[in-house]
Amino acid sequence: MNRRRLLQSFALAPLAWSTRALASTGELFSAFGPGPGREPTQRVYAAGPPASILVYCLAPEKMLGWPYQLSPAALAMLPAAQRNLPMVGRLSGRGSTMGRERLIAMRPDLILDVGTVNDNYLGAAEQVAAQTGIRYILMAGDLKDSPEQLRAAGEMLGVQARAELLAIRAQSILDKAAQARGRSGRGTPPSVYLARSADGLETGLAGSIHDQAFTMAGARNVAYTPASTGVGRVSMEQLLAWDPDYIFTQTPAFVQHARRSPLWRQLRAVKEQRLVLTPMLPFGWVDVPPGINRLLGLNWLIDIFDTGRPSAQTDDFIVDFFRVFYRIDAPADLLASARNAQHGP
């Protein structure tokens, strides 16, 4: 049977469909395609960046590759087995580069996608499962549900003990964030803006998956638009009107641009040295991707909003997070950059 006929035969096969619900937030994941086999899942294709980090933290030996291009600095931190995995391309969201025939040729036991769940993503998952005959799990990616994401994925991957360890750590970070938000001495929540692009005018909008680390740490995202969420563009005039307390960026070149620009220097965050360069290694601490890696950034942000800069205890937390979640050592220069993030490069 050639590949075309194989695809056609899978498209006609009946689908098994199921959901698993969280009592507080609705569906945690939806499953399409064949039910789980008797043998443990060994080959996992992560359909997008958040899923790849979830699998990396739980069962890195089961990854078939990275769905996005990691930086050389990020790869250099990872264990050799994961450093040398191929960049296989992504299946979910915009810019998909994974074709159906290539996906079948990779022979995954499971396709795992983590992030936004809506009718478009559900429909795409169902279609891929129908066309390939491969079990497809679409899991909600809200930061607040990280412990349940870890437990559910750990069950799918047959690493329940590892998942429970990470879930307990994740819950402790979420509990710390809840306590920080509830402290009466904090006063008015600080206002923040996330500058995602080289010119600083692309941002994660309020209510989107991209601003969850900030809001859970007790801040208010100024980039609110009632008509849309996700990533959007704003004008400099609008940003000047918002005049946030903090500006966070993931782009080192933007820090230099903002400090030289007469327009950006009008903003209080730039004038008062609250322009913060967020660490990005080995994965983004507050976004890019919006996965469980944001747990690290959440703890870091709590200290910034409480005292104006990370504390000495933050170093210990970072070292522990790297060892427990990533199973690598945190480099000394990364610890230093996390402490001095407001000074930039």
Side-chain angles (χ1 to χ4, degrees), residues 27-71:
E27 293 175 1
L28 174 61
F29 70 81
S30 296
F32 300 93
R38 294 182 180 179
E39 298 299 322
T41 298
Q42 299 296 336
R43 298 173 60 82
V44 182
Y45 170 68
S52 68
I53 297 173
L54 184 61
V55 179
Y56 170 76
C57 290
L58 287 170
E61 71 282 359
K62 299 187 178 187
M63 297 177 66
L64 292 178
W66 294 100
Y68 71 116
Q69 186 63 61
L70 275 69
S71 70

Side-chain angles (χ1 to χ4, degrees), residues 169-181:
R169 296 298 184 98
Q171 188 61 58
S172 70
I173 299 169
L174 298 180
D175 291 344
K176 179 180 177 181
Q179 292 169 5
R181 293 194 304 271

Side-chain angles (χ1 to χ4, degrees), residues 184-209:
S184 59
R186 265 202 170 185
T188 303
S191 58
V192 302
Y193 174 80
L194 175 61
R196 287 175 49 106
S197 56
D199 66 358
L201 297 178
E202 178 185 279
T203 190
L205 300 173
S208 74
I209 199 171

Side-chain angles (χ1 to χ4, degrees), residues 101-112:
E101 293 188 7
R102 184 173 168 226
L103 182 57
I104 290 173
M106 290 172 60
R107 298 181 294 107
D109 302 321
L110 174 68
I111 300 167
L112 180 62

Side-chain angles (χ1 to χ4, degrees), residues 211-250:
D211 88 331
Q212 290 178 351
F214 298 105
T215 56
M216 291 191 69
R220 175 180 61 85
N221 186 356
V222 298
Y224 171 75
T225 58
S228 62
T229 61
V231 174
R233 298 279 300 177
V234 302
S235 68
M236 193 68 209
E237 290 76 13
Q238 181 63 75
L239 186 54
L240 288 166
W242 285 330
D243 198 17
D245 297 319
Y246 287 88
I247 296 173
F248 291 84
T249 181
Q250 300 163 124

